[in-house]
Amino acid sequence: MPIHLLTNFKYGKTKMISPHTPDRKRSAIALESPERPGKVVIYVKGAPEILLDHCKDMLSTDPQISDGLVAELNESEKASINEKIDKMAGQTTQFLRVIGLAFWEMDMAEWQQQFEADRDSGRSSNRTFEEMMEYKQAKLTWIGAFGLRDPLRVGVEDSIKFARNQAKLGVRLVSGDHLASAKAAALRSGILLPHEASQPYAVMTGQEFRSTVGTIQRTHNPTTDQVEETIENLDVFSDVADQLRVLARATPFDKAVLVCGLKCLGKSVAVTGEGISDVAPLKISDVGVAMGSGCSAAIHSSDIVLTNDDFEATVQSIKWGRNIFHNISRFLQFQVTVNISCLLTMIIGGIFLAESPFTPVQLLWMNLIMDTFAAIALSTEPPVDSVTSGLPFKGNAAVLSASVWRQILGISFWNMIVMIFMFIKMAADPDYRSNVDTAWA
């Protein structure tokens, strides 16, 4: 059958579509059964542990019974299935994103009575279905779960190691995947080290995170006339932030809470994302990094777009950013040092020697050298790996730090002493005096 006819046939039988959302972590579609006329089947897929909690029955796995027979799903069987799901998701050799499947079959009359009776009042079928799921009134039958391979990109492990050990960056994995899958990926990539896995807050689910740190509180500051955001349990959040490496089954609100809390602790936060659920964290972070293959909303909410979707590019951008900071600092250090040296030499020479040590042509020549060749040499220095060594700079860090100012003043005084000494020695030479008089004339 041609694809367009197959599509029209399918959508002609579609009764309801409930899209996937980061909060519900499931999607559903209701279709008229093509094999069994007069029947409507709701197919649901999503997070297996969430679907399993809504299921009342399961397809029988007894080989003595024909396929498709429904059996009651008790708590012990749910625990056994959850154990198998955890084992599947926790494989470290190959990462699997585990997806659960369930269905609900009913007669057309029952469908019309439960889902289409209130259509005249403006209630849609998917809204009615979601309400039944919320109150666990849906009679879902568990089908099973399958895993999708999602291997790490080449070079991710080295990039994470470089970011943690050399650049001194705190890398955290915030994912909507299964807890075991997220933990296995973090262990393999180096985000979570084996000795960190035993810490109480190292690996958390979104629900545990929300119940521990609370929510975002907004207060109005009358001094600045702005709304300030903070975390409800900021002291507890500080302990959690020090240990947290993996946040699984996270919602967009969990990501926003994490970013807001880190900023309240004075941290500079960069967020990577690609989906619609990452828009809010990308906006409130200090630096938002979007994947080039992501949705347009995430790209427009970010500051940097990675065209190749590679984490290594994030590390390279950090290296270039720190290199620009160092280049500006080096250039200003050179400029200020030379200017202070010349200024002190002229002041001391004018006070004690009754004349300026430099002629106007010499001053113009020094300015020409400083503003062209020195600027080009110091401001275009390419980055090296040593640039990323040490802790990141704070947002309010001065370009010329206290140690740089000490170097500037020390070198300036040394240059002044050397130039004054040379000027005094040369001033005693009669030939030099006659050349100076001619130059000033």
Side-chain angles (χ1 to χ4, degrees), residues 235-393:
D235 294 336
V236 178
F237 179 87
S238 179
D239 298 333
V240 172
D242 291 338
Q243 301 179 8
L244 183 64
R245 294 294 179 269
V246 179
L247 185 60
R249 292 299 186 215
T251 64
F253 181 74
D254 297 329
K255 300 177 184 179
V257 170
L258 180 60
V259 174
C260 179
L262 291 173
K263 293 182 68 174
C264 290
L265 297 178
K267 306 288 186 181
S268 297
V269 185
V271 174
T272 60
E274 60 181 357
I276 192 68
S277 62
D278 300 316
V279 171
L282 287 171
K283 283 185 176 180
I284 65 176
S285 63
D286 296 300
V287 181
V289 183
M291 303 299 170
S293 61
C295 67
S296 58
I299 292 175
H300 290 127
S301 302
S302 63
D303 303 298
I304 301 173
V305 179
L306 302 180
T307 56
N308 57 354
D309 295 359
D310 195 351
F311 183 80
E312 186 178 358
T314 307
V315 178
Q316 292 297 324
S317 66
I318 295 172
K319 182 187 294 185
W320 276 96
R322 293 191 185 183
N323 183 70
I324 292 173
F325 186 92
H326 280 289
N327 285 349
I328 295 174
S329 178
R330 283 193 290 260
F331 171 69
L332 291 178
Q333 182 179 1
F334 174 80
Q335 287 275 36
V336 174
T337 301
V338 175
N339 285 328
I340 292 179
S341 301
C342 294
L343 182 62
L344 291 176
T345 303
M346 294 182 65
I347 293 175
I348 298 299
I351 294 175
F352 295 100
L353 304 177
E355 61 180 313
S356 174
F358 302 117
T359 65
V361 175
Q362 289 172 330
L363 291 174
L364 290 173
W365 176 253
M366 284 187 289
N367 268 322
L368 180 65
I369 296 299
M370 287 190 301
D371 294 337
T372 54
F373 301 108
I376 294 174
L378 294 174
S379 62
T380 59
E381 186 74 17
V384 293
D385 291 342
S386 59
V387 171
T388 54
S389 299
L391 295 174
F393 299 106

Side-chain angles (χ1 to χ4, degrees), residues 3 10 114 120 149 176-177 200 220-221 223 228-229 285 308 375 406 440:
I3 186 64
K10 173 185 175 182
Q114 294 194 20
D120 295 336
R149 290 190 61 187
D177 291 335
H220 179 262
N221 189 339
T223 305
E228 298 180 351
E229 295 182 342
S285 63
N308 57 354
R406 286 193 294 268
W440 278 102

Side-chain angles (χ1 to χ4, degrees), residues 18-181:
S18 179
H20 178 276
T21 64
D23 295 323
R24 295 195 294 259
K25 300 190 183 303
R26 52 178 164 75
S27 62
I29 184 172
L31 301 172
E32 293 184 28
S33 178
E35 294 86 7
R36 304 179 65 184
K39 295 286 186 179
V40 176
V41 184
I42 302 177
Y43 297 98
V44 187
K45 65 179 177 66
E49 69 275 13
I50 296 177
L51 288 187
L52 193 62
D53 190 43
H54 290 276
C55 290
K56 305 293 190 299
D57 303 311
M58 63 178 293
L59 292 181
S60 176
T61 57
D62 190 348
Q64 303 297 328
I65 304 177
S66 61
D67 293 339
L69 185 64
V70 174
E72 184 180 357
L73 185 62
N74 53 41
E75 293 300 324
S76 62
E77 290 173 334
K78 286 186 178 181
S80 176
I81 294 174
N82 274 322
E83 185 178 349
K84 293 178 181 178
I85 292 173
D86 293 341
K87 185 178 180 181
M88 182 190 303
Q91 295 184 31
T92 55
T93 55
Q94 55 179 357
F95 305 119
L96 297 177
R97 291 193 171 189
V98 183
I99 299 176
L101 296 174
F103 75 96
W104 180 9
E105 185 179 82
M106 66 188 73
D107 295 330
M108 180 64 71
E110 183 181 358
W111 165 266
Q112 293 174 349
Q113 179 182 1
Q114 294 194 20
F115 294 94
E116 296 183 358
D118 296 334
R119 179 169 292 181
D120 295 336
S121 61
R123 294 172 58 84
S124 60
S125 300
N126 60 337
R127 180 181 174 184
T128 304
F129 172 74
E130 291 303 334
E131 290 178 353
M132 298 186 72
M133 290 290 291
E134 182 179 355
Y135 294 104
K136 294 186 177 181
Q137 297 176 353
K139 302 175 183 178
L140 295 182
T141 300
W142 175 256
I143 299 176
F146 64 95
L148 298 176
R149 290 190 61 187
D150 189 14
L152 291 177
R153 284 178 174 265
V154 177
V156 169
E157 298 177 43
D158 295 335
S159 299
I160 296 294
K161 183 178 180 181
F162 179 85
R164 291 198 60 173
N165 298 339
Q166 185 163 341
K168 306 300 181 184
L169 300 176
V171 183
R172 295 172 176 85
L173 174 62
V174 183
S175 172
D177 291 335
H178 192 278
L179 178 65
S181 298

